[in-house]
Amino acid sequence: MKLYIYDHCPFCVRARMIFGLRGLAVEEIVLLNDDESTPIGMIGAKQVPILQKDDGSYMGESLDIVRYIDNLADKGRLKEEIRPEVQAWLDKANTYISKLVQPRMVSIGLPEFATQGAVDYFVHKKEANIGSFAENLAKTGEYLQTLHTDLADLERQVAGGDNLNGEGLSMEDIHVFPLLRNLTAVRGLVLPPKLKAYTDNIAAASGVPLYTDRAV
Ligand SMILES: N[C@@H](CCC(=O)N[C@@H](CS)C(=O)NCC(=O)O)C(=O)O
């Protein structure tokens, strides 16, 4: 199977996680960010992740891919339940995380931004949503203050080291880890101890590396 991704894409991390966690092999292919024709040719939309199955057919939508691979692997099933407290955290964090993460993604050597055209495409598209990257970078301290308060809340929900709910892998892990992983690109981020151990453990178990060593 082949998985078409951008390295920075949190939805792609969901799909990458399930392969690693369930021990199934997949070939990861990173598209250039301004390559519209490849994904549109596959699923009719400029969007990743895209799974190409062994029969050649394509599947978009990260959670569909996660459930498909989870069933295929047949090594237990992810619990669907997301605790209301965790969902509330995701809803809040998702209102500002992209302001911290997106401006950094173009400067940490990711393969989807290997050309200037790909960088320009991303900057243009994302600045239309979050405003100037430079202004957002200048507000890092302010955003981090909010984030650290919110992470202290999430820390109270960490019930296990290998999975968030303490009972086994679940959709909570599929939703939360990709955000924490991308936040490791932010210099100055301090994860509380249980979240730090959890993030390190899921990175190791899933094979999705963190950005800690290139944080800016
Ligand atoms: N609902 C989709 C969302 C996927 C998505 O939004 N992917 C982003 C990358 S993070 C994308 O391809 N956006 C188009 C672009 O960046 O031009 C899923 O869960 O797979």
Side-chain angles (χ1 to χ4, degrees), residues 6 8-12 14 33-34 36 39 45-50 60-65 102 121-122 125-126:
Y6 308 135
H8 74 275
C9 164
F11 304 98
C12 302
R14 294 175 177 177
N33 199 253
D34 59 342
E36 296 185 330
K46 199 275 185 188
Q47 194 167 283
V48 289
I50 300 169
E61 285 303 323
S62 57
L63 295 182
D64 290 348
I65 297 171
Q102 286 175 351
Y121 181 98
F122 183 82
K125 194 164 185 172
K126 301 304 177 189

Side-chain angles (χ1 to χ4, degrees), residues 29-94:
I29 298 167
V30 181
L31 297 177
L32 281 172
N33 199 253
D34 59 342
D35 177 355
E36 296 185 330
S37 59
T38 303
I40 290 173
M42 292 170 172
I43 59 164
K46 199 275 185 188
Q47 194 167 283
V48 289
I50 300 169
L51 177 69
Q52 184 173 20
K53 300 181 192 171
D54 285 335
D55 67 4
S57 64
Y58 296 106
M59 176 184 267
E61 285 303 323
S62 57
L63 295 182
D64 290 348
I65 297 171
V66 167
R67 293 186 182 107
Y68 172 75
I69 295 302
D70 199 33
N71 275 313
L72 199 68
D74 202 20
K75 291 187 181 157
R77 292 290 182 280
L78 293 173
K79 232 176 121 190
E80 287 286 332
E81 188 198 339
I82 297 178
R83 287 169 287 169
E85 299 84 353
V86 173
Q87 187 59 57
W89 185 86
L90 286 165
D91 292 343
K92 176 149 196 271
N94 271 320

